[in-house]
Amino acid sequence: MRHYAILRLLLAGFFLYIAWPVIPSAITQEAVLFWGLWLGFFLLVVGANFATLLQMTKPPVMEQEHTGSRQRA
């Protein structure tokens, strides 16, 4: 289910596109802390989805393909 990882990357890129003009206007210490944490979380999301795309990690359980068949009793 690689398309979910691609969609999450596109959504994260869209959020960065929206937030980028506001980030340089952070003046107060709280604003700088907020945008620093936001960018850190952004990098975490992007890194995790790239790891899924490059098959370095297994996808989440909900996105794993079920290949087994049911056994009858």
Side-chain angles (χ1 to χ4, degrees):
M1 299 281 180
R2 297 176 64 167
H3 58 280
Y4 287 133
I6 293 171
L7 286 174
R8 285 190 295 260
L9 284 170
L10 288 173
L11 183 63
F14 175 72
F15 286 153
L16 182 65
Y17 173 76
I18 296 296
W20 193 256
V22 182
I23 293 174
S25 66
I27 297 172
T28 64
Q29 186 68 24
E30 291 84 12
V32 171
L33 179 65
F34 171 77
W35 286 115
L37 291 172
W38 192 91
L39 286 173
F41 182 69
F42 171 79
L43 290 175
L44 192 70
V45 167
V46 169
N49 283 299
F50 270 128
T52 301
L53 277 179
L54 298 174
Q55 297 178 350
M56 297 171 68
T57 60
K58 290 184 179 180
V61 176
M62 292 179 61
E63 296 176 14
Q64 291 179 4
E65 301 205 15
H66 182 68
T67 57
S69 60
R70 287 184 148 176
Q71 294 180 353
R72 294 187 176 192

